[in-house]
Amino acid sequence: MMTNLSEFEESMRREIDAFQDNSEKEKAKRQAQAANKAPAPDTKPRQKQRPTKEQVESYKTGHLVKLAVRTKRLELDTIFEHRSSSISRLEAQMEAEEAAKKAGYPIIGHLVDIERL
């Protein structure tokens, strides 16, 4: 006569064996399906594509610099934004100041904000 514990162990072993048998069958089916879907070996391997100029420009690196600029001495400040690819905050600020002067703003009031992209 079996005890409750031995009956439980035996039933668990049967369930585990049944589960493993089913998982092995499923694994064999998946491998067969993968073999059917595999590309023919005579096809050319795909060459790695280089990113386009638009994709490269969309990468977020550098800083967005906002400066308060004026064209005349007693004029209200205008916000000038410059996108710099530099990772240095100081270099990005200097690039923005040069860009503002080239854009026709001779007076640079102060730095409003620098955001990292």
Side-chain angles (χ1 to χ4, degrees):
M1 189 159 149
M2 292 187 168
T3 64
N4 287 340
L5 181 60
S6 60
E7 288 177 13
F8 175 74
E9 288 176 350
E10 190 175 324
S11 67
M12 290 305 291
R13 281 193 193 112
R14 279 185 292 201
E15 289 180 23
I16 290 172
D17 291 339
F19 176 76
Q20 288 177 341
D21 289 342
N22 286 338
S23 64
E24 288 175 4
K25 289 177 185 176
E26 290 294 324
K27 188 177 180 182
K29 284 181 186 177
R30 279 188 248 126
Q31 288 176 348
Q33 289 175 350
N36 291 341
K37 290 182 181 178
D42 55 303
T43 60
K44 292 183 181 178
R46 297 177 84 190
Q47 293 180 349
K48 293 182 180 177
Q49 293 181 348
R50 297 185 72 194
T52 63
K53 185 176 180 182
E54 293 172 354
Q55 291 171 334
V56 171
E57 289 177 355
S58 70
Y59 291 142
K60 293 187 174 186
T61 58
H63 290 88
L64 178 64
V65 182
K66 295 179 183 177
L67 299 173
V69 294
R70 291 178 262 168
T71 53
K72 297 178 185 174
R73 208 176 258 298
L74 296 175
E75 189 177 72
L76 291 174
D77 287 341
T78 306
I79 301 296
F80 178 81
E81 292 185 359
H82 176 72
R83 180 181 233 149
S84 174
S85 61
S86 174
I87 58 173
S88 167
R89 291 174 61 101
L90 182 61
E91 194 171 309
Q93 181 180 350
M94 290 172 36
E95 284 180 16
E97 289 173 359
E98 289 176 16
K101 287 181 182 177
K102 285 182 183 177
Y105 295 103
I107 301 169
I108 298 171
H110 60 278
L111 176 66
V112 174
D113 187 29
I114 295 181
E115 292 179 19
R116 189 169 184 199
L117 299 177

